[in-house]
Amino acid sequence: MPREKSGPSVLLFHQSNRTRKSWDDVARQLAAAGINALTVDTDPNKTRKQRWPGELDAAFEFLVSQPGVNRDVVGIGGAGVIGVEDSVETARLHPAEVKSLVLLSGETESLDFLRQASQLPELFVVADNDEYPPIVEAMELLYVTASSPSRKFVHYSASHEAPWLWYEPFDIGKVPAKGGHGTDMFKVHTRIARHHRRLVCDHADQNTGSRAGGHCGICVGHQSNSDSRRSRPGYAATD
């Protein structure tokens, strides 16, 4: 930021055991596609009451106040429990401006919002080798609760699910990372970033009638054999 022409933007929240830098590669790819991206650092020691709504609104308003940002076409992305909670709450606070929602490996109590936001395109991503296995079921719940007809669920399967050792937000570092949680998945499942760009671009096109920077409408290829996933009836998984 800023870009020469007004275009869509994305606000990105990290998981509790990472910082905003875990979104850097994706943010660069979004910027290259003509999408303004802002990554946010969140203090995992703060409660929701301490963060909401002040910090969420401050991040949102900072993003949409930047030159080159179309405040009416904003995407939100979040990883982990804290990132997903903050993403859903930001979308709830700004329903008119938020046009897409990407959630990785997290959960939220705001199920009513997902159930009611039928106009909001959503992407849900989770992996069986997540070091916090209950997250898989939590993400499935978010997907089946959401009512958007354009929602998608990507589930990276493994021959053996990881054992449940601990919860994400507590005693960070107690559970060794396995590359399957939140933004850690980007290193293994590189196509997630394409899913993210495509979701933002497609719905920026619908709201502005043009491509963001001329780089949207990304063609997504077939997934490699080493990047297998599970898809069940009623679940959409695309690569």
Side-chain angles (χ1 to χ4, degrees), residues 101-123:
L101 186 63
V102 175
L103 306 178
L104 313 176
S105 313
E107 56 186 305
T108 178
E109 296 178 3
S110 300
L111 297 179
D112 284 346
F113 171 76
L114 295 179
R115 188 178 294 112
Q116 296 164 7
S118 59
Q119 82 293 345
L120 185 62
E122 298 142 338
L123 174 64

Side-chain angles (χ1 to χ4, degrees), residues 11-25:
L11 189 60
L12 302 170
F13 296 96
H14 64 84
Q15 63 218 54
S16 60
N17 58 349
R18 295 290 179 267
T19 69
R20 67 187 182 91
K21 290 186 177 297
S22 63
W23 281 106
D24 279 358
D25 287 343

Side-chain angles (χ1 to χ4, degrees), residues 81 105-107 126 130 132-140 168 181:
V81 174
S105 313
E107 56 186 305
V126 72
D130 193 307
Y132 309 100
I135 290 297
V136 176
E137 293 183 359
M139 288 295 292
E140 290 174 341
E168 178 200 324
H181 186 69

Side-chain angles (χ1 to χ4, degrees), residues 101 114 117-124 139-154 199 203 233-238:
L101 186 63
L114 295 179
S118 59
Q119 82 293 345
L120 185 62
E122 298 142 338
L123 174 64
F124 304 87
M139 288 295 292
E140 290 174 341
L141 176 61
L142 300 191
Y143 175 80
V144 300
T145 300
S147 60
S148 171
S150 59
R151 72 192 189 283
K152 295 187 183 299
F153 185 91
V154 177
L199 184 71
H203 295 283
Y235 288 67
T238 59

Side-chain angles (χ1 to χ4, degrees), residues 57-125:
D57 281 339
F60 184 88
E61 290 301 328
F62 179 82
L63 172 63
V64 299
S65 68
Q66 300 305 304
V69 170
N70 181 347
R71 69 171 296 131
D72 294 322
V73 186
V74 179
I76 307 291
V81 174
I82 290 178
V84 166
E85 286 183 335
D86 286 356
S87 295
V88 174
E89 180 65 7
T90 302
R92 190 190 69 80
L93 291 170
H94 302 278
E97 295 91 349
V98 174
K99 299 299 191 296
S100 63
L101 186 63
V102 175
L103 306 178
L104 313 176
S105 313
E107 56 186 305
T108 178
E109 296 178 3
S110 300
L111 297 179
D112 284 346
F113 171 76
L114 295 179
R115 188 178 294 112
Q116 296 164 7
S118 59
Q119 82 293 345
L120 185 62
E122 298 142 338
L123 174 64
F124 304 87
V125 186

Side-chain angles (χ1 to χ4, degrees), residues 7 9 33 42 50 110 130 153 174 185 201 210 214 220 222 235:
S9 61
T42 303
Q50 291 173 309
S110 300
D130 193 307
F153 185 91
K174 180 174 182 177
M185 289 190 290
C201 287
S210 62
V220 182
H222 295 291
Y235 288 67

